[in-house]
Amino acid sequence: MLLFLDVDGTLLPFGADRPYPLYEAPATASAGSAEHPLLARIDPALGPRLAALGCALVWATTWMDDANAYVAPWLGLPPLPLVDWPDEDEPPGGLHWKTRPLVDWAAGRPFIWLDDEITGRDQAFTQAHHPGRALLHRVDHRLGLTERDFGVLEAWLG
Ligand SMILES: [Mg+2]
């Protein structure tokens, strides 16, 4: 099972009307993490929690190479494959610009996509164009991934 993982608004919460708790840099954090002060909003415990799902984790984020340089070490995860985005215009009809590339990348393999910007349009596109199972799960960007989200994933994975 593939698991496409967004960073901003999924691992790294933003937009709440109160200050966020800041986490200490874990021992695995890469040198230079201090140059990315927002990393401190990411709970390092999310790494083992995600790894325990038993899925093949794949970055699906605009962080690109910085996801492996900074976020993966922060989470105690190995470098992960990352989806490279085509240089295309915004798709019409409100479809998220990530949706088609992710469906293409999955190439029929079952997948989970965690992102704070998923809408019904993305669900409908995936149902129409992806033959395998897929769970598109929207995370609340103000909170990032929570235990409630993990409950949904674990129930779906069975
Ligand atoms: Mg996001």
Side-chain angles (χ1 to χ4, degrees):
M1 178 71 61
L2 298 167
L3 194 159
F4 295 121
L5 190 56
D6 176 44
V7 174
D8 293 311
T10 298
L11 295 173
L12 195 169
F14 67 88
D17 55 5
R18 55 185 168 71
Y20 284 100
L22 298 179
Y23 296 91
E24 294 273 329
T28 53
S30 49
S33 293
E35 292 164 37
H36 291 272
L38 288 177
L39 276 175
R41 283 195 201 168
I42 300 178
D43 180 357
L46 290 173
R49 198 79 178 75
L50 284 163
L53 294 171
C55 299
L57 303 174
V58 179
W59 292 123
T61 168
T62 53
W63 279 62
M64 301 308 296
D65 290 336
D66 277 357
N68 279 329
Y70 298 103
V71 186
W74 187 271
L75 293 168
L77 294 173
L80 306 176
L82 54 98
V83 177
D84 196 11
W85 309 112
D87 193 11
E88 282 174 4
D89 290 340
E90 195 83 9
L95 187 69
H96 198 286
W97 56 269
K98 289 181 184 174
T99 309
R100 185 188 293 272
L102 292 183
V103 167
D104 288 349
W105 211 91
R109 291 169 290 177
F111 71 86
I112 294 171
W113 176 23
L114 296 180
D115 202 290
D116 59 307
E117 295 180 344
I118 291 166
T119 68
R121 188 71 193 80
D122 306 303
Q123 306 274 7
F125 179 91
T126 303
Q127 267 189 356
H129 295 93
H130 176 70
R133 289 179 83 209
L135 174 67
L136 277 60
H137 180 71
R138 181 173 176 138
V139 175
D140 184 336
H141 65 85
R142 295 165 300 181
L143 305 173
L145 274 174
T146 64
E147 273 310 308
R148 199 187 140 274
D149 297 306
F150 280 105
V152 172
L153 302 184
E154 284 157 359
W156 190 79
L157 286 165

PDB file of all heavy atoms in Angstrom, residues 6-10 14 98 115-117, ligand 1:
ATOM      1  N   ASP A   6       1.693  14.579   2.324  1.00  0.00           N
ATOM      2  CA  ASP A   6       1.892  16.024   2.218  1.00  0.00           C
ATOM      3  C   ASP A   6       2.636  16.513   3.478  1.00  0.00           C
ATOM      4  O   ASP A   6       2.672  15.804   4.494  1.00  0.00           O
ATOM      5  CB  ASP A   6       0.504  16.679   2.120  1.00  0.00           C
ATOM      6  CG  ASP A   6       0.569  18.190   2.109  1.00  0.00           C
ATOM      7  OD1 ASP A   6       1.420  18.752   1.410  1.00  0.00           O
ATOM      8  OD2 ASP A   6      -0.255  18.807   2.816  1.00  0.00           O
ATOM      9  N   VAL A   7       3.239  17.676   3.413  1.00  0.00           N
ATOM     10  CA  VAL A   7       3.920  18.225   4.594  1.00  0.00           C
ATOM     11  C   VAL A   7       3.129  19.398   5.184  1.00  0.00           C
ATOM     12  O   VAL A   7       2.604  19.307   6.305  1.00  0.00           O
ATOM     13  CB  VAL A   7       5.370  18.666   4.265  1.00  0.00           C
ATOM     14  CG1 VAL A   7       6.004  19.375   5.460  1.00  0.00           C
ATOM     15  CG2 VAL A   7       6.210  17.453   3.869  1.00  0.00           C
ATOM     16  N   ASP A   8       3.014  20.495   4.434  1.00  0.00           N
ATOM     17  CA  ASP A   8       2.368  21.696   4.997  1.00  0.00           C
ATOM     18  C   ASP A   8       0.878  21.464   5.222  1.00  0.00           C
ATOM     19  O   ASP A   8       0.140  21.147   4.286  1.00  0.00           O
ATOM     20  CB  ASP A   8       2.569  22.880   4.047  1.00  0.00           C
ATOM     21  CG  ASP A   8       4.030  23.306   3.970  1.00  0.00           C
ATOM     22  OD1 ASP A   8       4.640  23.482   5.034  1.00  0.00           O
ATOM     23  OD2 ASP A   8       4.550  23.437   2.855  1.00  0.00           O
ATOM     24  N   GLY A   9       0.454  21.614   6.459  1.00  0.00           N
ATOM     25  CA  GLY A   9      -0.955  21.419   6.801  1.00  0.00           C
ATOM     26  C   GLY A   9      -1.307  19.976   7.109  1.00  0.00           C
ATOM     27  O   GLY A   9      -2.422  19.680   7.523  1.00  0.00           O
ATOM     28  N   THR A  10      -0.345  19.065   6.879  1.00  0.00           N
ATOM     29  CA  THR A  10      -0.590  17.643   7.161  1.00  0.00           C
ATOM     30  C   THR A  10       0.333  17.185   8.299  1.00  0.00           C
ATOM     31  O   THR A  10      -0.131  16.725   9.340  1.00  0.00           O
ATOM     32  CB  THR A  10      -0.388  16.802   5.894  1.00  0.00           C
ATOM     33  OG1 THR A  10      -1.343  17.225   4.911  1.00  0.00           O
ATOM     34  CG2 THR A  10      -0.574  15.320   6.176  1.00  0.00           C
ATOM     35  N   PHE A  14      -0.780  24.655  10.527  1.00  0.00           N
ATOM     36  CA  PHE A  14      -0.726  26.116  10.461  1.00  0.00           C
ATOM     37  C   PHE A  14      -2.145  26.673  10.504  1.00  0.00           C
ATOM     38  O   PHE A  14      -3.110  25.967  10.226  1.00  0.00           O
ATOM     39  CB  PHE A  14       0.001  26.588   9.199  1.00  0.00           C
ATOM     40  CG  PHE A  14      -0.716  26.279   7.915  1.00  0.00           C
ATOM     41  CD1 PHE A  14      -1.656  27.159   7.388  1.00  0.00           C
ATOM     42  CD2 PHE A  14      -0.458  25.107   7.224  1.00  0.00           C
ATOM     43  CE1 PHE A  14      -2.329  26.871   6.207  1.00  0.00           C
ATOM     44  CE2 PHE A  14      -1.132  24.808   6.032  1.00  0.00           C
ATOM     45  CZ  PHE A  14      -2.068  25.692   5.535  1.00  0.00           C
ATOM     46  N   LYS A  98      -2.279  18.195  -7.585  1.00  0.00           N
ATOM     47  CA  LYS A  98      -1.539  16.962  -7.270  1.00  0.00           C
ATOM     48  C   LYS A  98      -2.283  15.698  -7.710  1.00  0.00           C
ATOM     49  O   LYS A  98      -1.659  14.636  -7.834  1.00  0.00           O
ATOM     50  CB  LYS A  98      -1.336  16.847  -5.744  1.00  0.00           C
ATOM     51  CG  LYS A  98      -0.363  17.824  -5.128  1.00  0.00           C
ATOM     52  CD  LYS A  98      -0.252  17.562  -3.622  1.00  0.00           C
ATOM     53  CE  LYS A  98       0.654  18.575  -2.927  1.00  0.00           C
ATOM     54  NZ  LYS A  98       0.627  18.367  -1.446  1.00  0.00           N
ATOM     55  N   ASP A 115      -3.624  14.748   2.896  1.00  0.00           N
ATOM     56  CA  ASP A 115      -3.395  16.134   2.468  1.00  0.00           C
ATOM     57  C   ASP A 115      -4.494  16.996   3.085  1.00  0.00           C
ATOM     58  O   ASP A 115      -5.603  16.524   3.334  1.00  0.00           O
ATOM     59  CB  ASP A 115      -3.461  16.210   0.935  1.00  0.00           C
ATOM     60  CG  ASP A 115      -2.735  17.417   0.359  1.00  0.00           C
ATOM     61  OD1 ASP A 115      -3.218  18.556   0.546  1.00  0.00           O
ATOM     62  OD2 ASP A 115      -1.689  17.211  -0.275  1.00  0.00           O
ATOM     63  N   ASP A 116      -4.172  18.259   3.291  1.00  0.00           N
ATOM     64  CA  ASP A 116      -5.161  19.175   3.882  1.00  0.00           C
ATOM     65  C   ASP A 116      -5.994  19.893   2.823  1.00  0.00           C
ATOM     66  O   ASP A 116      -6.816  20.736   3.171  1.00  0.00           O
ATOM     67  CB  ASP A 116      -4.454  20.220   4.762  1.00  0.00           C
ATOM     68  CG  ASP A 116      -3.438  21.031   3.970  1.00  0.00           C
ATOM     69  OD1 ASP A 116      -2.574  20.423   3.320  1.00  0.00           O
ATOM     70  OD2 ASP A 116      -3.530  22.278   3.998  1.00  0.00           O
ATOM     71  N   GLU A 117      -5.789  19.573   1.542  1.00  0.00           N
ATOM     72  CA  GLU A 117      -6.496  20.314   0.486  1.00  0.00           C
ATOM     73  C   GLU A 117      -7.362  19.424  -0.399  1.00  0.00           C
ATOM     74  O   GLU A 117      -7.793  19.849  -1.468  1.00  0.00           O
ATOM     75  CB  GLU A 117      -5.481  21.084  -0.380  1.00  0.00           C
ATOM     76  CG  GLU A 117      -4.747  22.169   0.396  1.00  0.00           C
ATOM     77  CD  GLU A 117      -3.748  22.938  -0.452  1.00  0.00           C
ATOM     78  OE1 GLU A 117      -3.396  22.469  -1.549  1.00  0.00           O
ATOM     79  OE2 GLU A 117      -3.322  24.018   0.003  1.00  0.00           O
TER      80      GLU A 117
HETATM   81 MG    MG B   1      -0.766  20.861   2.409  1.00  0.00          MG
END
